[in-house]
Amino acid sequence: MSVTYPSGFTAAGITVGLKPSGSPDLALVHNRGRSDAVAAVYTANRCKANPVLWSQQASADGRARAVVLNSGGANCYTGDFGFETTHLTAEKAAELLGLSALDVLICSTGLIGVGGQDFRDRIVGGLPEITAAAAEGPDSGKAAAEAIMTTDTVAKTVACDGPGYRIGGMAKGAGMLAPALATMLVVITTDADLGAAQLDSALRTATARSFDRLDTDGCMSTNDTVILMSSGEAESADLTEFTERLTEVCVDLAGQLHRDAEGAHHDIVITTRGAASEDEAVEVSRAVARSNLFKAAIFGEDPNWGRVVAQVGTTAARFEPDAIDVTINGVPVCIASSPGADRDEVRFGREVTVEIDLHAGDHRASIWTSDLTHDYVEENSAYST
Amino acid sequence: MSVTYPSGFTAAGITVGLKPSGSPDLALVHNRGRSDAVAAVYTANRCKANPVLWSQQASADGRARAVVLNSGGANCYTGDFGFETTHLTAEKAAELLGLSALDVLICSTGLIGVGGQDFRDRIVGGLPEITAAAAEGPDSGKAAAEAIMTTDTVAKTVACDGPGYRIGGMAKGAGMLAPALATMLVVITTDADLGAAQLDSALRTATARSFDRLDTDGCMSTNDTVILMSSGEAESADLTEFTERLTEVCVDLAGQLHRDAEGAHHDIVITTRGAASEDEAVEVSRAVARSNLFKAAIFGEDPNWGRVVAQVGTTAARFEPDAIDVTINGVPVCIASSPGADRDEVRFGREVTVEIDLHAGDHRASIWTSDLTHDYVEENSAYST
């Protein structure tokens, strides 16, 4: 399933030895359909990894046939050698698949600064095996999803039926999940016969309301990439309908990333309503999601609404400082900027909802974040050692 | 010493029962000198505590004679009752000291949402005792500094000699230390005979290069206040010279706050040099100081420069993405945006220095922050319970 659910796609995942654990670390998604239309969004980080620099150029014409993805090294800040490795990977994969190098997009994930000779040799050396594996059959979508995992504890995949077409997808990401994409690699496939401009429109709308609303730790990655490919093997689709379905797919994958966030004990959804604009609702929700004090309080199952209000006050959103309501897990703990219901009434489970009402308009938006836990500190202080 | 080091000031610190621990919790600083000139800077948070709302109004004319400070409750988001408590405190203190209510500034620190009837009764009830205590002698500066502690482990005071005048100060703050002042209350006194406008100019310059450079956890408080009072009991002073000395005093106090930051195992100074402007140097240093991944890495004594570069890339500062150097504890681990010296060469102690060179100009600025530790998570998940 996964990326091979729509007609026209094959995939594979193999082990080439990039990870000390010996887990799968190289993936391929190949579009063999009538169309080669593609759209992609990349990290807004100005310090972009080599595969992002390459793929931005290669996808600029709205055409691509294959994506090669690796875990076990980000190939970011690895100098000219690192960029040459990306280029060489695309050339060799293209040769094996009968494509031009610019038809091959590259994604990498892992530690920044990793991308030396050994990294190059293992990836390039593994291309004959992975292209052969992908040629064998369409059922390797799961293997591809597993090969892009880093600190992920589960593979993330999705399959969805539209009227006369299918959408499939895979994603990785567990930390450094923040705005303008989390540290995530996502490949979404469809057989709906849509052109590159339509795919681009749909993808930008869908990511803005899904991956861009995920902000587990405020850290923006250098390698974030979301790719949408169409094989054109099915019917065309109504763009509005397709965009809605694609948004559901992206929300599903983003939810999987959220639930697997590094070290999280609570999955928190912060919703700001009554905002004067959707952007202001996002700004307020994100400001709260970025507060370490708030996130540590939720870890301790402490409905500390003061830390919510304090973050609201750091934003430029329109509101009256004495008219803010805060509701935690359904209990209105702060009403009109004063203590409301008894905080002891708040019950905690894995899911935590925080609702902020600014009483300044009719717009709303949610940001998904995680609590700040001992496990987060532990995982992220030990990651590279 | 502390705030009573310059001529003309008395102070006191007593216990009125706001804290369950029974530690001192009410402080008073009283200016009995010839001048009543005052300057103050307050939190940029739009959700301001009641004492901030009061003191902003009361200090607007550049005149004040006394500051009443309490720990054990922030009196923030406590509604009209909370504001009336602040007003009542100023009125009663003024009556006891022979002043008008607008000559009395109020500062509170502790939990947001705490400021009910019991809070009011204890503070107002303690005013006769504290005004009497302050009248007894000038040597209670230390007691005042102790009475404003919350999670602080040590009292923070400073005393400094200028040519013909003195400066003294006290500060509290250990968490929620972030821009536009940390969660801090600071009272600085001087006998230098300077007018309110001169004090204001000096204080804004000094805080911009001291307290505003402290960003331990990215969280901005609702109660931050820095007050500078002059008794005019000594000579006048050259404004440039006074500003330099005041900046030293503020840097000293900010350093004390830094070293006492909640849960910190490492005191980190992030310096960006080669920036096109000082503001851009601040922006870059602050972006790194806000990265939980970077802060967790330093806790693990991992010189993970990739997490530094990734944060640099989130800023709007001018730089070429392939020309960034990162030096950690003197070891150039990243040169021209590529791996530099072996990261194993980096040695760690309590003090950690991170230097980023953007190669884009001649400006530099440092931000002081802390690592992200288990103790930070523990202290901040258990604070209100």
Side-chain angles (χ1 to χ4, degrees):
Chain A
M1 308 299 270
S2 169
V3 289
T4 53
Y5 187 61
S7 300
F9 293 92
T10 60
I14 64 169
T15 301
V16 298
L18 296 170
K19 293 174 177 169
S21 64
S23 298
D25 45 21
L26 191 66
L28 171 68
V29 181
H30 185 198
N31 175 2
R32 296 159 174 265
R34 290 180 300 170
S35 171
D36 61 359
V38 73
V41 290
Y42 300 97
T43 181
N45 199 307
R46 290 169 60 204
C47 295
K48 297 184 199 319
N50 288 309
V52 171
L53 295 173
W54 169 265
S55 297
Q56 274 190 313
Q57 293 297 320
S59 65
D61 64 354
R63 300 172 57 181
R65 281 272 174 204
V67 188
V68 176
L69 311 93
N70 75 275
S71 52
N75 194 10
C76 178
Y77 281 100
T78 47
D80 292 341
F81 186 88
F83 189 80
E84 287 159 14
T85 296
T86 295
H87 188 190
L88 190 65
T89 303
E91 281 192 330
K92 293 287 182 188
E95 191 182 310
L96 289 158
L97 296 169
L99 306 172
S100 93
L102 286 170
D103 290 330
V104 181
L105 309 184
I106 309 288
C107 300
S108 299
T109 180
L111 265 185
I112 291 175
V114 171
Q117 186 70 50
D118 186 62
F119 175 88
R120 175 190 288 187
D121 292 346
R122 288 178 188 272
I123 290 177
V124 173
L127 292 172
E129 180 188 343
I130 200 163
T131 49
E136 280 168 18
D139 293 332
S140 303
K142 186 79 186 301
E146 286 166 354
I148 57 174
M149 292 166 63
T150 54
T151 55
D152 305 69
T153 64
V154 292
K156 285 98 175 169
T157 65
V158 66
C160 166
D161 289 288
Y165 65 88
R166 289 175 164 183
I167 304 177
M170 66 179 189
K172 72 78 47 182
M176 219 188 230
L177 293 175
L181 311 184
T183 294
M184 57 175 64
L185 303 181
V186 180
V187 179
I188 301 167
T189 55
T190 184
D191 45 18
D193 192 14
L194 294 168
Q198 293 172 299
L199 296 181
D200 185 70
S201 161
L203 187 61
R204 287 182 190 283
T205 300
T207 55
R209 299 214 168 162
S210 56
F211 301 118
D212 279 352
R213 298 285 170 90
L214 186 62
D215 193 334
T216 63
D217 65 2
C219 293
M220 189 199 293
S221 161
T222 51
N223 288 56
D224 297 329
T225 303
V226 179
I227 294 168
L228 171 61
M229 312 173 85
S230 166
S231 67
E233 290 290 307
E235 299 166 23
S236 184
D238 173 74
L239 186 58
T240 303
E241 194 278 335
F242 179 81
T243 301
E244 282 173 20
R245 203 142 316 233
L246 182 68
T247 302
E248 286 169 20
V249 163
C250 290
V251 167
D252 185 313
L253 287 173
Q256 293 182 53
L257 295 171
H258 186 204
R259 289 188 294 277
D260 199 26
E262 281 174 355
H265 289 205
H266 295 87
D267 304 330
I268 310 168
V269 180
I270 300 165
T271 301
T272 299
R273 60 172 187 252
S277 74
E278 186 174 341
D279 282 352
E280 292 181 20
V282 169
E283 182 190 2
V284 169
S285 293
R286 194 184 298 286
V288 176
R290 293 278 179 90
S291 166
N292 279 351
L293 290 174
F294 163 74
K295 288 152 71 88
I298 296 300
F299 168 58
E301 304 202 333
D302 167 16
N304 194 321
W305 59 268
R307 293 177 179 178
V308 175
V309 174
Q311 286 301 106
V312 174
T314 66
T315 72
R318 283 164 279 185
F319 62 82
E320 292 300 323
D322 59 358
I324 299 167
D325 298 338
V326 179
T327 300
I328 299 179
N329 285 348
V331 179
V333 285
C334 171
I335 300 172
S337 302
S338 292
D342 188 338
R343 54 204 291 157
D344 292 341
E345 290 176 21
V346 181
R347 294 285 167 269
F348 281 90
R350 172 88 194 185
E351 313 281 322
V352 176
T353 62
V354 177
E355 293 176 277
I356 300 149
D357 196 331
L358 299 180
H359 296 288
D362 294 326
H363 296 271
R364 61 184 289 144
S366 298
I367 291 285
W368 309 322
T369 191
S370 308
D371 53 349
L372 180 60
T373 69
H374 290 301
D375 291 338
Y376 178 89
V377 172
E378 193 64 24
E379 286 196 38
N380 286 297
S381 60
Y383 182 73
S384 77
T385 50
Chain B
M1 308 299 270
S2 167
V3 290
T4 52
Y5 187 60
S7 301
F9 294 92
T10 61
I14 65 169
T15 301
V16 298
L18 297 170
K19 293 174 176 168
S21 64
S23 297
D25 45 23
L26 191 67
L28 171 69
V29 181
H30 185 198
N31 175 3
R32 297 159 174 265
R34 290 179 299 169
S35 170
D36 60 359
V38 73
V41 290
Y42 299 97
T43 181
N45 200 308
R46 290 170 58 204
C47 294
K48 298 185 199 315
N50 288 310
V52 171
L53 295 172
W54 168 265
S55 297
Q56 274 189 313
Q57 294 297 320
S59 66
D61 64 353
R63 299 171 58 181
R65 281 272 174 203
V67 188
V68 176
L69 310 93
N70 76 275
S71 51
N75 194 9
C76 180
Y77 281 101
T78 47
D80 291 340
F81 186 88
F83 188 80
E84 286 160 16
T85 296
T86 296
H87 188 188
L88 190 64
T89 304
E91 281 191 330
K92 293 287 180 189
E95 191 181 310
L96 290 158
L97 296 169
L99 307 172
S100 92
L102 285 170
D103 289 329
V104 181
L105 310 184
I106 309 288
C107 300
S108 298
T109 180
L111 265 184
I112 291 176
V114 171
Q117 186 69 52
D118 186 62
F119 175 89
R120 175 189 289 187
D121 292 345
R122 288 177 188 274
I123 291 177
V124 174
L127 291 172
E129 180 187 342
I130 201 164
T131 49
E136 280 169 17
D139 293 332
S140 303
K142 186 79 187 301
E146 285 166 355
I148 57 173
M149 291 167 64
T150 55
T151 55
D152 306 68
T153 63
V154 292
K156 286 96 174 168
T157 64
V158 66
C160 166
D161 289 289
Y165 64 87
R166 288 173 165 185
I167 304 177
M170 67 178 186
K172 73 75 50 183
M176 218 188 231
L177 293 175
L181 310 184
T183 296
M184 57 174 65
L185 302 181
V186 180
V187 178
I188 301 167
T189 54
T190 183
D191 45 19
D193 191 16
L194 294 168
Q198 292 171 299
L199 295 181
D200 185 71
S201 161
L203 186 62
R204 287 181 191 283
T205 300
T207 55
R209 300 215 167 160
S210 55
F211 301 117
D212 280 350
R213 298 286 170 88
L214 185 62
D215 193 334
T216 64
D217 64 3
C219 293
M220 187 198 292
S221 161
T222 51
N223 288 57
D224 298 330
T225 302
V226 180
I227 294 168
L228 171 62
M229 311 172 86
S230 165
S231 67
E233 291 289 307
E235 300 166 22
S236 184
D238 173 73
L239 186 59
T240 303
E241 194 277 336
F242 179 80
T243 301
E244 282 173 21
R245 201 141 319 229
L246 181 68
T247 302
E248 285 169 22
V249 163
C250 290
V251 167
D252 186 311
L253 287 172
Q256 293 181 55
L257 296 172
H258 185 205
R259 288 188 294 278
D260 198 26
E262 281 174 353
H265 288 205
H266 295 87
D267 304 331
I268 309 169
V269 179
I270 300 165
T271 302
T272 299
R273 60 171 187 250
S277 73
E278 185 173 340
D279 283 351
E280 292 181 21
V282 169
E283 182 189 1
V284 169
S285 293
R286 192 183 300 285
V288 176
R290 293 276 180 92
S291 166
N292 279 351
L293 291 175
F294 162 75
K295 289 153 70 88
I298 296 301
F299 168 57
E301 305 203 333
D302 168 15
N304 194 322
W305 58 267
R307 294 177 179 177
V308 175
V309 174
Q311 287 300 108
V312 174
T314 66
T315 71
R318 282 163 280 185
F319 62 82
E320 292 301 322
D322 59 358
I324 299 167
D325 299 338
V326 179
T327 300
I328 299 179
N329 284 349
V331 179
V333 285
C334 172
I335 300 172
S337 302
S338 292
D342 189 338
R343 54 204 290 155
D344 293 341
E345 290 176 20
V346 180
R347 294 284 166 269
F348 281 90
R350 171 89 193 185
E351 312 281 322
V352 176
T353 62
V354 177
E355 292 176 277
I356 300 149
D357 196 332
L358 299 179
H359 295 288
D362 294 326
H363 296 270
R364 61 183 290 146
S366 298
I367 292 285
W368 310 322
T369 191
S370 309
D371 52 350
L372 180 59
T373 69
H374 290 302
D375 291 338
Y376 178 89
V377 172
E378 193 65 23
E379 285 196 39
N380 286 297
S381 60
Y383 181 74
S384 78
T385 51

